[in-house]
Amino acid sequence: MKKFVMGLLCGAALSMSTVVIASDSIQAILFPSKITFQVKGNQAVLDTSENPVLNYNNKTYIPLRVFAEAMGANVDFVSESEAADHLNHITVSSNEYKLIQYGPDDNITPANAAYTPLGVGLGLPDEYRRNSDQLSIENTNNFVFSVINRTNDNLLVDPSTNLALEVYTAPEGVEDQLVYRYVIPQIPKPIPSRSSYTFTIPWNQTGSNGKKIEPGRYIVKLAKPENINYQVEGDSDTKSVPSYVDMRYGPRSYIVNYK
């Protein structure tokens, strides 16, 4: 993603009434386009109805903010001022996931009849609990994916395991239309014994069609296979555990009211 963002900084422009480069204004041509981003198994479509693509000197200009956010980055904009040398300041920050290890921790309940050796889970932002199942459309929501190892061995998750954060419209409290899907990256290394890995999935409430979702009721869930396969490090035998039990945050979907 960093290469995309660096290339963007060299060639993209902020979309306003005009495109500002070196002079006060220039003339550019509207360039109707359908732009689809494919990043690490995830797809996003740029909403060009509200963010037109421009052509200037045979170069295509895409609005910086929508490009960066579609690539999973954040954009901060500060208007020009005397303190800022009379320049507009634009900061693009990568949101590439960082895998954080917790443990080893002897307080982790060992695998038993109630707890499987390996568990996965999805956590919602603290705002969800504080505000009675509500989240703001205007704020970036940080969902937390976790995988926990309750054994005394290092475990390797099968790299073909398909896990994804999914968001559905749910006006009647049941899944209706899929509006957003984020494929969980592969766990790149063994999970140490009695430890867990977590990483944060930021979402700015832009659907896969490139448009902000509408206020209303949604279902947020961790899409997962029926079973998760894994291996004990140093052992070639493949083991399996059901994915619908021992989820760190409960084996349920979440109903979220977006305001």
Side-chain angles (χ1 to χ4, degrees):
M1 192 185 85
K2 293 178 181 176
K3 292 182 179 178
F4 276 99
V5 173
M6 289 303 294
L8 174 69
L9 291 174
C10 294
L14 290 171
S15 175
M16 299 181 187
S17 58
T18 59
V19 178
V20 178
I21 301 182
S23 60
D24 292 336
S25 65
I26 62 170
Q27 287 188 333
I29 301 171
L30 290 174
F31 193 63
S33 306
K34 179 180 179 180
I35 300 176
T36 303
F37 300 95
Q38 300 279 356
V39 185
K40 296 182 179 178
N42 295 295
Q43 176 175 300
V45 178
L46 180 67
D47 178 15
T48 56
S49 62
E50 298 181 1
N51 303 284
V53 178
L54 303 177
N55 182 295
Y56 174 69
N57 281 352
N58 292 322
K59 293 183 175 62
T60 303
Y61 288 80
I62 303 172
L64 175 60
R65 181 178 296 279
V66 291
F67 180 98
E69 289 180 349
M71 301 296 290
N74 291 326
V75 178
D76 293 316
F77 174 75
V78 178
S79 298
E80 61 89 17
S81 66
E82 185 176 351
D85 298 326
H86 298 287
L87 294 173
N88 295 311
H89 282 231
I90 303 167
T91 303
V92 180
S93 304
S94 170
N95 262 336
E96 288 187 294
Y97 84 94
K98 294 181 180 179
L99 204 61
I100 300 174
Q101 177 184 332
Y102 293 95
D105 185 354
D106 291 335
N107 293 321
I108 290 180
T109 304
N112 53 34
Y115 293 97
T116 59
L118 186 72
V120 295
L122 181 70
L124 270 65
D126 291 339
E127 177 188 353
Y128 177 77
R129 289 179 287 274
R130 291 196 306 264
N131 297 337
S132 301
D133 301 345
Q134 293 184 12
L135 288 174
S136 171
I137 288 181
E138 301 305 320
N139 300 331
T140 297
N141 295 160
N142 291 315
F143 300 97
V144 179
F145 168 79
S146 68
V147 54
I148 187 170
N149 174 9
R150 298 184 180 279
T151 74
N152 293 319
D153 299 304
N154 298 339
L155 302 184
L156 291 154
V157 179
D158 184 344
S160 66
T161 302
N162 294 317
L163 299 167
L165 166 69
E166 292 183 344
V167 182
Y168 293 82
T169 56
E172 304 299 326
V174 295
E175 292 179 16
D176 187 11
Q177 294 184 341
L178 178 67
V179 297
Y180 179 72
R181 189 171 194 270
Y182 178 89
V183 176
I184 305 294
Q186 295 179 3
I187 306 299
K189 50 189 176 181
I191 308 167
S193 64
R194 298 289 187 89
S195 299
S196 65
Y197 282 142
T198 69
F199 72 86
T200 299
I201 306 169
W203 185 42
N204 63 359
Q205 289 66 254
T206 299
S208 298
N209 63 356
K211 299 181 179 180
K212 282 279 189 179
I213 63 171
E214 297 291 333
R217 181 181 294 180
Y218 293 80
I219 284 179
V220 178
K221 62 182 286 187
L222 178 64
K224 55 196 182 302
E226 183 175 343
N227 295 293
I228 296 178
N229 297 328
Y230 69 95
Q231 291 180 335
V232 174
E233 189 176 33
D235 188 345
S236 60
D237 291 340
T238 298
K239 305 178 186 296
S240 180
V241 293
S243 64
Y244 58 86
V245 296
D246 192 27
M247 290 180 66
R248 179 178 176 185
Y249 299 96
R252 61 186 176 90
S253 301
Y254 296 90
I255 294 180
V256 178
N257 292 300
Y258 271 105
K259 302 293 185 180

